[in-house]
Every structure is written in C-alpha cells, then in structure tokens.
C-alpha cells in the first residue's frame, strides 16, 4: 500500500465520491453540514484530505490541529475497499506524518443497551489494535450518545477537546454548542 493524502476540494472529482461515503459512514447526529466542513477547512487549523492508495481513491480524513493536538474528526474508507487493511494503513500514515502530535478522537462508547453495541466494541478494539488507548474522558451530547476519547501519544486534558472543537466550529457557534456538550473523566463503573 502507498497511502497518500491530497486536499479535498468541493470542485474536484473526489467531492462526488466523498458525499455519499460521508452520509453512509456516519449517523446523521455525527454529520456536520457539508458546507460547514468545507468553510472551516479554509482555515489553517483544519486539514480535509482525500486518501489514495497510489491513484485509487479510498476515502477521506478530516483533521483539526491546535498546537501539538491533532483531533481526528472523521476517517472513512470507501465500501468498495473496506476490510482490506486501509483503515489501519491510514492510521499508520497519520501517526507517521504527525508523529509530534497527540492524536485523539471520539467514538461511541460501548453500551450494552445500544443497538449497535457489538459494532462499538469492534470499533474500539480496532483502534486499540492500532496503538490507541483510552484517554480517560467521555463526551456527552444530550439526547444523543456518549462518546469516549481515544488517544495516541502523551496524555490530554479535558480542555484539549474544547480547544479543538472551538477550532472546528468557530467562536460563535462553539459558544452556543459547548453549553450542550459535557466532557468529564470517564467512569469505569
């Protein structure tokens, strides 16, 4: 595999591949409106990449940077090439290209009551297999789900998540949203 990142733009052929993958790979409550993704990606703190294996488009990543923090907002692999090792290869490329960063992201926390609990457990095991570990924090969105934060690199604190969300949403929207989002130490009970 020869994984490469290339800036994803609205006026590229990749946009037509990105859109259906984005809408199928993430539940509606995790989807940020596409116009906001592209608008925010114009800032220097956000990297929006198509991912290729040589010349074959395999998916996309959306990254938010603040200092030595890199928050992986989205990683998706096209269904036509899924289960061929690309997810792990993308994570390896991110860890190599951004080795000086603390890389972290949020996933749905395993919950026995959740319909997709088996999928949540499998997803967490996948990331742990690729060198990520629990950061010790959970993020609650009222009436949605609880997410846990996984990490590669040195520890983070709860304010690190708030900082990258501020970069993603911008001051005005984040001021409103942070009232509804709670981040706290994860209880193992």
């Amino acid at each position: 595999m020869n994984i490469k990142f290339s800036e994803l733009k609205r006026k590229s052929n990749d946009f037509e591949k990105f859109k259906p993958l984005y809408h199928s790979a993430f539940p509606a409550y995790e989807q940020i409106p596409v116009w906001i993704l592209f608008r925010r990606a114009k800032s220097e703190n956000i990297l929006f990449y198509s991912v290729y294996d040589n010349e074959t488009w395999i998916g996309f990543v959306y990254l938010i940077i603040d200092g030595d923090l890199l928050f992986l907002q989205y990683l998706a692999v096209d269904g036509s090439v899924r289960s061929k090792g690309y997810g792990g290869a993308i994570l390896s490329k991110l860890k190599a290209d951004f080795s000086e960063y603390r890389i972290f992201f949020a996933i749905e926390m395993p919950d026995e009551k959740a319909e997709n609990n088996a999928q949540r457990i499998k997803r967490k095991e996948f990331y742990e297999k690729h060198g990520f570990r629990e950061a010790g924090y959970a993020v609650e969105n009222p009436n949605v789900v609880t997410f846990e934060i996984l990490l590669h690199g040195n520890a983070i604190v709860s304010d690190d998540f708030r900082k990258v969300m501020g970069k993603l949403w911008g001051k005005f929207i984040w001021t409103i949203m942070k009232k509804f989002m709670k981040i706290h130490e994860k209880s193992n009970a």
Side-chain angles (χ1 to χ4, degrees):
M1 282 184 212
N2 182 25
I3 303 299
K4 299 184 292 189
F5 296 141
S6 176
E7 185 179 357
L8 179 59
K9 297 183 178 185
R10 268 192 114 105
K11 295 182 181 183
S12 70
N13 291 338
D14 293 350
F15 180 71
E16 294 306 317
K17 299 172 194 168
F18 152 76
K19 242 175 120 176
L21 176 56
Y22 178 62
H23 291 299
S24 66
F26 301 99
Y29 60 82
E30 288 184 26
Q31 293 177 24
I32 296 168
V34 169
W35 70 270
I36 291 176
L37 291 177
F38 280 93
R39 174 174 252 172
R40 297 303 302 150
K42 292 178 182 178
S43 79
E44 64 185 42
N45 303 67
I46 296 181
L47 304 172
F48 198 178
Y49 291 137
S50 279
V51 182
Y52 287 88
D53 179 7
N54 290 314
E55 301 305 315
T56 303
W57 188 85
I58 58 169
F60 70 92
V61 293
Y62 196 89
L63 312 168
I64 305 159
I65 296 176
D66 185 66
D68 74 332
L69 300 169
L70 184 141
F71 185 76
L72 177 58
Q73 177 69 34
Y74 296 115
L75 182 160
V77 174
D78 189 65
S80 66
V81 295
R82 227 172 261 149
S83 299
K84 295 183 178 178
Y86 284 119
I90 292 168
L91 290 174
S92 293
K93 173 89 169 141
L94 285 171
K95 290 186 298 187
D97 287 3
F98 299 94
S99 61
E100 69 277 12
Y101 290 83
R102 294 175 287 161
I103 302 172
F104 67 110
F105 53 90
I107 61 169
E108 292 175 311
M109 189 173 333
D111 178 352
E112 292 175 359
K113 297 174 195 150
E115 287 181 23
N116 68 339
N117 192 48
Q119 181 187 47
R120 292 178 185 200
I121 291 168
K122 188 175 175 183
R123 185 179 298 127
K124 184 174 179 179
E125 288 171 348
F126 166 79
Y127 286 115
E128 289 175 334
K129 175 181 156 190
H130 290 283
F132 289 84
R133 68 185 188 286
E134 291 183 12
Y137 294 99
V139 179
E140 290 183 50
N141 287 335
N143 303 318
V144 185
V145 298
T146 300
F147 296 88
E148 70 178 307
I149 296 178
L150 298 184
L151 166 73
H152 181 270
N154 293 329
I156 61 169
V157 295
S158 61
D159 280 344
D160 292 333
F161 179 80
R162 290 181 184 94
K163 287 193 307 190
V164 296
M165 288 297 100
K167 298 287 184 196
L168 172 63
W169 290 105
K171 255 185 189 174
F172 178 72
I173 295 174
W174 179 239
T175 300
I176 295 165
M177 288 187 65
K178 68 183 176 184
K179 295 176 184 174
F180 302 101
M181 193 177 291
K182 294 182 172 62
I183 183 166
H184 54 81
E185 287 192 33
K186 186 177 159 240
S187 119
N188 290 324

